[in-house]
Amino acid sequence: MIRVELVKLLRSRRTWVTIALIDALPVLVAILLAVTGVGPRPGSGPAFLSAVLTDGTLYPLAALAMVVPLFLPVAVAVTAGEAVAGEGQAGTLRYVLIRPVGRTRLLVAKLVAVIVFALLAVVVVAVTAYVVGVTLLGQQDVTTGTATFSGTSLTTPELVARTLMSLGYAMLCMLGVAAIALFCSTLVDTPLAAALGAIAVLIASTLLLTLDAASALHPWLITRYWLAFTDLFRDPIFWRDILRGVGLQLLYVAVFLGAAWANFTTKDVTR
Amino acid sequence: MSGSVIRTAGLTKRFGRVTAVDGVDLDVRDGDVYGFLGANGSGKTTTVRMLLGLVLATRGDAEVLGLSMPRHRHEVLPQVGALVEGPGAYDQLSGRANLRLFDAMGRAGAAGGRRTRERRVGEALERVGLAGIDRRPVRAYSLGMRQRLGLASALLRSPRLLVLDEPTNGLDPQGIHEIRELLLELNRTGVTVFLSSHLLAEIEQMCTRVGVLDRGRLVLQDELSTLHGPTGRTEVVTVDADRAATLLGDAVEHREGDRLLVRAGDPGRLNRHLVEAGCRVSLLAPERRSLEDVVLEASQGTGDRRDRQERAS
């Protein structure tokens, strides 16, 4: 079933249009930076962006920092929201289930497809950003190392390892979003409602994070540690928030996947 | 495995306070073409969905191919082809791509794996008259083509049982005829067909057994030939109707111009009687009940009509 879902994902025009749209923003920013040469003041704007002007090879990180907090969650919520409700709306859900495909297997396959989608998006963004960064913003001699936030230098293998770790972390965050959207998708009849439900959770979480009165809730909000991946680029790595983030995302995944499973496996499929 | 292909006992489904299916005892036998008749909203589709494990019964048991559903769905469903409430396909893909995907879903089972997929898909398309379809996406298909594609998908695994809900929906008369021939041909090769429909004529032309659902209850289940049984009256058309009527006296129960309905034990003897008396008989046949009469008698009304309920106060 996983294979079938992947085939559907890769053959869908929407997958590629979405990825292209996500990819457009970092490209636009790179062009603007290259043309104007004006970087954000240190400490403001998206992470890494001020460092990018001196070194284009860092641009993939800056691009991910732009895309991961907002675009990717929305795209993941839409894709995962489609999972059950979308099949229901297309009238295919009943035919999938009577092939028969087990309901649990279907959920797992859908989840895997969503994560592959997110990975694909991230890889496309990273590769384009690297190409665009190097060609438009120039390249420092890589062997001299790349600056961390802490002012020390990273060797290329270190940089690659930390970038991969941050990608893994971002994927785990997307898994949390996917779990919520998947649960919504088993709950409502239209994919749009499911996606909006998941996005509403993210917005509410972001909003509450800005509110001091909600500080008791902060450690439990899903977006609380999303940007902790930047801590991977400190020297030494600042693990505390990252580990908390991992734990929190796993908790969200467990709770919402469990709820999605419990709801879907006992649901009357009447569409 | 002789005997029952579908057997339910007290199958009941409640949605909230509404009882959609109420204590249904179905008995579909091996080799039947079973007509499941019922007005719109009488619970046909809900019953079909319960048989396929899509809707979970509130109460009662269902056995399909001798195994209880939905517990044994992984053994049962690979041997069942179904069309439930209209076809469903991935709109952006071609018909062929759709069948390939559906064929790849679930365990491969006895039907075989990936190597024989193209052949299976080709055969299924051939059977439903879609062998010539091109790469156009299903989005561009007519309702009739979608219906045929749905049927092809149901036939992919050479099922032993076909469960079809309104299969001729959206087809033109020619298409309906083709599908009927196809189903009868499949039935001759041993496939049991469970056909749910609100079209009396469709059921009457194809089925050997009939079950009638009325407001969630199975009000009738019998062989079609039994339901079609003689009424004990004989229909006589004669140009000498007046003379015949006088001759037969009280035995004539109904008269309409040249047409008489006569209560008579033996149509042959009645014929001789009339002819010897000099009546020119142009038609004489035992009256049979029509399925429509039987169904209307057994059920109370249509499901989508809602009359105002007078409230006594």
Side-chain angles (χ1 to χ4, degrees), chain A residues 6-181:
Chain A
L6 291 181
V7 169
K8 268 163 57 190
L9 176 79
L10 297 179
R11 287 191 60 166
S12 155
R13 194 186 309 157
R14 207 180 58 183
T15 305
W16 299 105
V17 171
T18 312
I19 290 179
L21 286 176
I22 293 175
D23 207 24
L25 179 77
V27 172
L28 177 70
V29 171
I31 293 172
L32 289 176
L33 286 178
V35 171
T36 62
V38 182
R41 276 162 293 149
S44 73
F48 300 110
L49 213 50
S50 41
V52 164
L53 277 179
T54 55
D55 184 3
T57 54
L58 256 187
Y59 193 59
L61 278 176
L64 288 178
M66 275 181 258
V67 164
V68 167
L70 184 62
F71 281 128
L72 203 55
V74 170
V76 164
V78 170
T79 311
E82 186 88 355
V84 176
E87 296 263 2
Q89 203 174 45
T92 44
L93 181 59
R94 52 181 183 268
Y95 292 108
V96 172
L97 293 180
I98 63 175
R99 279 315 293 169
V101 174
R103 298 188 184 197
T104 311
R105 275 167 69 107
L106 182 63
L107 278 185
V108 170
K110 291 285 183 188
L111 195 68
V112 170
V114 172
I115 290 311
V116 168
F117 166 74
L119 259 175
L120 207 59
V122 162
V123 169
V124 170
V125 166
V127 170
T128 5
Y130 184 80
V131 174
V132 170
V134 169
T135 49
L136 290 181
L137 301 170
Q139 185 175 15
Q140 272 188 342
D141 191 358
V142 190
T143 47
T144 61
T146 307
T148 63
F149 288 147
S150 315
T152 58
S153 283
L154 290 178
T155 60
T156 304
E158 268 181 320
L159 183 68
V160 169
R162 292 185 184 201
T163 306
L164 286 179
M165 273 198 283
S166 64
L167 278 186
Y169 185 76
M171 284 307 109
L172 187 64
C173 295
M174 291 310 109
L175 198 62
V177 179
I180 295 179

Side-chain angles (χ1 to χ4, degrees), chain B residues 68-140:
Chain B
S68 95
M69 283 291 287
R71 194 173 340 131
H72 292 284
R73 60 186 176 279
H74 289 291
E75 292 100 89
V76 172
L77 290 177
Q79 309 179 61
V80 178
L83 197 59
V84 191
E85 235 184 333
Y90 299 105
D91 267 354
Q92 71 279 13
L93 300 176
S94 74
R96 210 174 275 276
N98 262 286
L99 289 192
R100 280 193 205 112
L101 271 186
F102 278 114
D103 192 74
M105 286 176 194
R107 279 176 249 173
R114 213 185 307 177
R115 270 185 301 127
T116 49
R117 178 163 302 145
E118 282 309 310
R119 188 173 51 78
R120 277 198 302 279
V121 168
E123 276 173 7
L125 286 172
E126 182 95 32
R127 287 209 112 146
V128 299
L130 285 180
I133 49 166
D134 43 27
R135 295 166 56 90
R136 270 192 311 162
V138 172
R139 198 188 302 125

Side-chain angles (χ1 to χ4, degrees), chain B residues 188-203:
Chain B
R188 277 193 291 276
T189 64
V191 179
T192 305
V193 180
F194 182 87
L195 187 71
S196 139
S197 176
H198 65 273
L199 301 173
L200 278 161
E202 189 168 286
I203 300 280

